[in-house]
Amino acid sequence: MSDQFARASWHTHFSERTPSILGHDAYRHFALFVPIVMYQNEPHVLFQVRSNGIRQPGEISFPGGKAEKEDRSFAHTAFREMQEEIGVASEKARILGPLDYMVTPFQLIIHPFLGEIDGDAELELNAAEVAEVFTVPLHELRNMTPKEHTIYLEVTPEDNFPYHLIPNGENYSWRTGYVTEQFYEYNGYIIWGLTARILTHALYELTLAEKRMT
């Protein structure tokens, strides 16, 4: 291949290329359904409590799970997982649209979607995954100021890490990071972690949506 032809191919390739997340093939993708439910003519946010037989038992979360190859999209994943976990009939729920996705330090990419569930929908909880569900009035969540605490992330190289190949060896100045965790408290329930961060984002986007109509 001549240099001129190679350069032409570069121009074509990079002008048409859509960027992605570097190393995205190593990440696992999860999708969540953030449910808004109308009760007594008032919007509520629905949460679920994870059952004792699965990872992170007792944690409060939104319906959701891992994307499967058969899923047509991440929105399809979120809707499928919602049905599998809380058993809402397809005609009684709908996705309104995507929220911002989240790239975690644990090689996970979370794709949350805001959705609606009809107030008269019947729920059939999957007891293997969901211990219970509860709702919080939207106006109460908006009036809450979540408590914030910091988790610091430090670098710990493996035992046989080749320090001799990097400047300053074992004294290398590693970058560190942190995560700000939020905590919402409601009637004895503690909403924190990814669920709290996504909730805060959803509340912000709902406010933006309403401002557009005024």
Side-chain angles (χ1 to χ4, degrees):
M1 179 184 296
S2 68
D3 290 344
Q4 184 176 359
F5 184 82
R7 291 177 62 197
S9 68
W10 299 343
H11 281 273
T12 301
H13 174 78
F14 287 102
S15 65
E16 298 174 352
R17 184 178 184 276
T18 300
S20 182
I21 297 172
L22 187 64
H24 70 92
D25 290 342
Y27 283 78
R28 291 174 292 161
H29 293 263
F30 287 74
L32 306 178
F33 189 104
V34 181
I36 305 292
V37 188
M38 292 296 294
Y39 286 139
Q40 299 177 342
N41 297 318
E42 181 179 5
H44 289 59
V45 179
L46 183 143
F47 300 90
Q48 62 186 33
V49 180
R50 296 168 66 86
S51 70
N52 289 328
I54 60 175
R55 188 172 178 272
Q56 297 176 321
E59 294 275 356
I60 293 169
S61 65
F62 294 120
K66 184 180 178 182
E68 304 292 348
K69 292 181 179 179
E70 304 79 39
D71 293 336
R72 297 186 299 273
S73 64
F74 294 124
H76 180 264
T77 301
F79 198 87
R80 173 182 59 76
E81 287 285 341
M82 179 275 296
Q83 290 190 293
E84 291 178 2
E85 293 178 6
I86 61 176
V88 176
S90 59
E91 67 272 13
K92 291 292 184 177
R94 62 209 58 87
I95 284 180
L96 299 180
L99 295 165
D100 288 349
Y101 63 88
M102 181 185 301
V103 181
T104 77
F106 314 110
Q107 292 187 304
L108 303 177
I109 300 179
I110 312 297
H111 304 264
F113 293 82
L114 191 70
E116 286 182 323
I117 296 177
D118 294 343
D120 62 352
E122 294 185 5
L123 275 61
E124 296 183 11
L125 305 186
N126 180 349
E129 298 188 43
V130 181
E132 62 174 302
V133 297
F134 66 95
T135 67
V136 184
L138 184 59
H139 81 271
E140 291 199 36
L141 288 169
R142 284 175 158 165
N143 289 333
M144 292 181 190
T145 300
K147 297 177 182 177
E148 294 190 346
H149 296 275
T150 302
I151 294 178
Y152 293 98
L153 307 175
E154 297 183 357
V155 176
T156 305
E158 61 181 350
D159 291 340
N160 63 343
F161 186 83
Y163 288 104
H164 64 284
L165 297 179
I166 63 175
N168 299 320
E170 295 188 24
N171 295 319
Y172 184 81
S173 180
W174 298 98
R175 288 183 181 272
T176 59
Y178 68 92
V179 175
T180 300
E181 293 288 6
Q182 297 180 320
F183 294 81
Y184 291 85
E185 298 182 33
Y186 179 79
N187 287 354
Y189 295 105
I190 306 297
I191 303 164
W192 77 291
L194 290 176
T195 304
R197 292 170 67 188
I198 292 170
L199 171 62
T200 297
H201 171 51
L203 295 174
Y204 173 76
E205 290 295 330
L206 286 166
T207 299
L208 285 184
E210 293 163 8
K211 286 181 177 179
R212 293 180 61 181
M213 301 298 293
T214 59

